[in-house]
Amino acid sequence: MKIHIIAAESGISFFSSLLNYGVTVKIYGNPSVKDFLLKDLKIKEDYISDRIQTLFLNSKPIDNINNAFLENGAALALSAAMPGTAGALFRKQGRYAAMRKQITYTDNIDVKKNKKGEIILKLFNMPARELADIIFESGVSIEKETLSLFLKNYNKGLEPYIRSIYLDCKKKDKKNFFNKYLKSGFQAINLKATFS
Amino acid sequence: MDKILRINMSGEVPGFKIEDLGDYEGLGGRALTSAVIYKEVPPLSHPLSADNKLVIAPGLMSGSAAVISGRLSVGCKSPLTGGIKEANAGGQPSQMLGKLGYAAIIIEGKPKSNDLYKLFINKDGVQMTADKSLAMLGNYDLIDKMKEAYGDKIGCMSIGPAGEMKMSAASIACTDTEVRPTRHAGRGGVGAVMGSKGIKVIVIDDSGTSIRAPKDKERFKNANKIFAEGLKKHPVTGEGLPAFGTNVLTNILNEAGGYPTNNFAFGQFKGASKISGETMAETEIARGGLATHGCHKGCVIKCSGIYNDKDGNYLTKQPEYETVWAHGGNCGIDDMDVIAMLDRIDDDLGLDTIEMGASIGVAMEAGLLQFGDANGAIRLLKEEVGKGTPLGRILGNGAAVTGKVFGVERVPVVKGQAMPAYDPRAVQGVAVTYATSPMGADHTAGYAVGSNIMGVGGKTDPLKPDGQVELSRNLQIATAALDSTGLCLFIAFAILDQPETFNAMVELLNGFLGKDFTADDVAELGKSVLKNERDFNAKAGFTSKHDRLPEYFKNEAFPPHNVTFAVTDEELDQVFNW
Ligand code: SF4
């Protein structure tokens, strides 16, 4: 089942919070993190180099995005530069990277080869707000548990920003749509959102 | 700031005198508090005795037009660690004391009676009044009473019931721009020392004073402009911190597997998204609070906020990352409203949020209540600690005491002080600072304040594997220097990344003081502060054995990375070899 939401642009920050919880996206082959961001997600190169300063692959901070490769089931998280000593030391190739060397991602091209697969993508803080439109417009899949957790926190905030909702191309009543939908038997939904 | 207010609480009636700076000329903030403690407090004295002193020192530029320069240092021999302490706070008092010309207030001696005093300081002098009606008031009621008496243009430093009960986790509250007691000199039990001196509140009124003039107006003005612009244009100080506050780190530490959960048992918390900075900012805005707010006038970063309850009424200021962690993930609690309530109670009772979260976490580990028991945590804080029951007094004396009383091995403290929100096994460089800082476990003791451009320790290869000891050393030196200026540590990223902003900061200091300090001088200042602190601790009985993490961090692998703390004792002993 596919859900398509047409939402007001002013609601992007509410939708972006969903990206904090993690959404599922497809990968083809074993792209490097750089290629995935640039070619699959279509994020601009200077945004990747300047704005995305903190990245984790399977919870390991990455210093070199050209030499970190995705495989089916991986979890990738993106953040801007963060405050504090912790922020400084998690930053890619930061001056204080040695302070977290025990958990740093070590270049590993020996990933499990796959032709296609899925990864969990999480976006935090500024990248979540700034990239929400392109990520949702290209479509993501969301686990039922994630959606239900998110709606528990945001349901009231979300509805006013939704202009219309389509379920498998059929227009639906937006009132309490998600709550009703959560009661059905699905495990994950495919969600696409367009902001205007 | 050319005078010291020295208050002696001994004798039949407490008295005070106003002195010149003498040997302390040119010092401010932490450099001044640590110099006074080193020189004047017998290292073996009891922290709650007449021999200990409480030193309150605005940063060097506090009270001037320098942006974000209103941080205050509070020093003493700590009842929590038994060593030297500097606790740093925001709020209005630093700027006000600076404008009144006080480089420090030194409170010494001990009253003979059980009287509780209030101090009123304004341009005309100092009044000390015994006032029993203030006894056991929470900070919020106390400040309301002070506003009734002195108007709402005041700034206050006060203790709550925890300070009066001389609990080792007691803080000193500093009022914010709305005259609320929300900014705390939190760590090390400084509130207990104020309580032992019989002082409940210091009321400051700077009416009729002007801002402190720089020695070189043009140099200062230009530097201030470039410095402020640098802070505003940097993504961390100009966007991330104002939008989300320090709690933006919850998602990051959790993702990194370095978020100590359920009393440091594992590194990821399922409920992290519910209590993250992103969620908190959305909640604050939706409830008519504020996600961007400065703790004192002149702050251009504004990392704080106003947290309203579900009905839109003020509950507390935006809790910081360490508070959200301590009362949240560390205790398995994922309800933002409960965490905000615990923050409010801490502020009202006058308690360090990190220490109290750690104490409750240890109590949970001991089986007093379950991890995740939000109502139980509120009850412990309000009904036990707040009322000073025997159990409350155990908890209010910190995680180490709580662990000892209840026979818990996993007690996350160094030198008796609870660790903040970064697990030592996942971020081992921070753990080097936890272990070796003269303050006890303290995340702000080795802040990433751009030691490289300060010239401390030369250039370190960021990816060199063995740099943790060297980096910790450099950061501790740079932080000690910055803590002396009155500037907030959160300027760190802007001065780390933007050489012109770092240069503007040095110029700002030089323009203000009429000096020509170089980066080397700043590093020397940092070293001298640390030397005083280390020497004091050595004379108080501290040895290299105290510069260690609890053993279990070396033995218990920490999920999800399953790592143990691997920095050797020999390496730790090299931190202060400069
Ligand atoms: S950045 Fe935050 S902590 Fe620092 S002075 Fe401003 S409001 Fe206070």
Side-chain angles (χ1 to χ4, degrees), chain B residues 68 71 293-296 299 301-304 488 490:
Chain B
I68 203 166
R71 301 292 299 191
H293 184 258
C295 74
H296 71 269
C299 170
I301 298 177
K302 300 191 170 124
C303 77
S304 193
C488 177
F490 296 158

Side-chain angles (χ1 to χ4, degrees), chain A residues 13 20 51 56 59 77 79 81-82 84-86 91 94-96 98-99 101-103 122 124-125 145 153-154, chain B residues 236 239 252 255-256 268 270 274 278-279 282 422 428-429 446-448 452 460 462 464-465 468 493 497 561:
Chain A
S13 88
N20 296 171
R51 195 69 162 167
F56 299 94
S59 293
S79 160
M82 286 289 98
T85 304
R91 206 171 174 188
R95 177 158 297 279
Y96 305 110
M99 297 176 91
K101 63 175 180 173
Q102 283 79 2
I103 61 166
K122 290 184 191 175
F124 301 130
N125 49 74
E145 200 191 337
N153 292 337
Y154 285 102
Chain B
V236 171
E239 290 179 87
I252 303 302
E255 194 58 33
Q268 282 177 328
K270 222 167 176 251
K274 286 177 73 181
E278 290 89 330
T279 305
E282 297 288 0
Y422 315 86
Q428 305 208 355
Y447 213 71
N452 55 316
T460 312
K464 186 178 144 223
Q468 306 190 96
F493 256 112
D497 286 344
H561 295 293

